Amino acid sequence: MLQVDFANKLIGGGVLGHGCVQEEIRFAINPECVVSRLFCQELKSNESIIIKGAERYSNYSGYSKTFQWTGDHVDNTSRDSLNRLNTEIVAIDAIKFNNPLSQFSSEAILRELNKAYAGFYKANSSAPSDNTPVTRDHRGCATSEGDIHVTRDHRGCATSLDDTPTSSGNIPVATGHWGCGAFRGDKQLKSLIQLMAASHSNRSVRYFTFGDRNFQQQLESLYTILIKQKITIGKMMNLFIEYSELLNKEEYAVEDPPSLFEFILETLSREAYPHQDRREERERDDEDEEKTDPFSGDEST
């Protein structure tokens, strides 16, 4: 699998200092990755770094302050024709948002979408159009089977799942909550951005939720609806823009807005059943008229 490194724009982050989150842990258990710090400059917004063949030497438990080494690891990953381990790690750096609401702007979404695409893209593979279904299986069409696997596995790497390439020869992407820790990214937005980039790259996705059962169920439910309604990348971008406009309304300065998933589900439901929506609107209007009609009450003598 193409395993995503939630990278710092200076690859490796704090691995040689005091950092101990996703990227630093990956570099610690695959120490050959540290060599990349000698050759790679600060990543630009349209750049990613691929590290191929890095061997894993260590087992571990915990995360951040609870991280600890638990013993040697024997890496039995298969090798390619050049005798390199079939391990591919892609480093992509997310934006750090001081104001979390700013990530829903068109500029921020396009930056993150292009960054993910830069990481997932494979040269010489056919690039689909903006009408590409958000979801793809190994046959390259919208389907309800086999395209995205959402797991609550807490481990940082996906070595036990199916690694079958798509019809284009592209191996799946193994990822999770990219940029959603200290960088304050929204898990719902980031998961959809990565799904869109993977779809445009003709790759399927293995998504690890780090033990978040609630998010696992939410993503799986939304994914099923995206398949059923054959939602495209272009359509998803329009939904993001509509949601951004919603967040800018004054009424949400004092009350909590719906989550992105909630907004998408409600919008798609209205579009799928427009007659039902209009009927409910008429019923609400009738109720409002009854409340305001001065002659609707009982007559008194």
Side-chain angles (χ1 to χ4, degrees), residues 51-154:
I51 301 174
K52 186 171 177 63
E55 183 174 351
R56 177 175 173 178
Y57 289 90
S58 300
N59 293 319
Y60 75 95
S61 65
Y63 190 82
S64 187
K65 294 181 179 180
T66 63
F67 173 83
Q68 60 180 346
W69 182 79
T70 60
D72 293 335
H73 178 85
V74 179
D75 196 335
N76 293 316
T77 304
S78 62
R79 295 180 179 269
D80 63 14
S81 59
L82 298 177
N83 204 35
R84 299 174 300 183
L85 291 174
N86 282 311
T87 300
E88 287 191 48
I89 300 170
V90 58
I92 51 175
D93 58 301
I95 300 174
K96 184 175 183 178
F97 296 102
N98 294 321
N99 176 10
L101 286 180
S102 64
Q103 68 190 289
F104 294 99
S105 68
S106 298
E107 294 79 10
I109 291 172
L110 282 173
R111 190 277 182 188
E112 300 295 71
L113 188 58
N114 285 328
K115 172 63 71 168
Y117 182 60
F120 302 165
Y121 172 77
K122 182 178 180 181
N124 302 321
S125 63
S126 57
S129 70
D130 286 346
N131 290 324
T132 307
V134 169
T135 50
R136 285 182 166 266
D137 73 344
H138 59 282
R139 295 183 295 275
C141 56
T143 179
S144 60
E145 299 177 355
D147 180 48
I148 180 172
H149 179 96
V150 186
T151 176
R152 287 181 290 118
D153 197 322
H154 62 279

Side-chain angles (χ1 to χ4, degrees), residues 1-2 52 86 88 120-126 136-140 163-173 198 201-204:
M1 291 187 195
L2 183 66
K52 186 171 177 63
N86 282 311
E88 287 191 48
F120 302 165
Y121 172 77
K122 182 178 180 181
N124 302 321
S125 63
S126 57
R136 285 182 166 266
D137 73 344
H138 59 282
R139 295 183 295 275
D163 203 25
T164 305
T166 63
S167 58
S168 64
N170 297 340
I171 58 176
V173 174
S201 306
N202 283 311
R203 293 185 189 270
S204 55

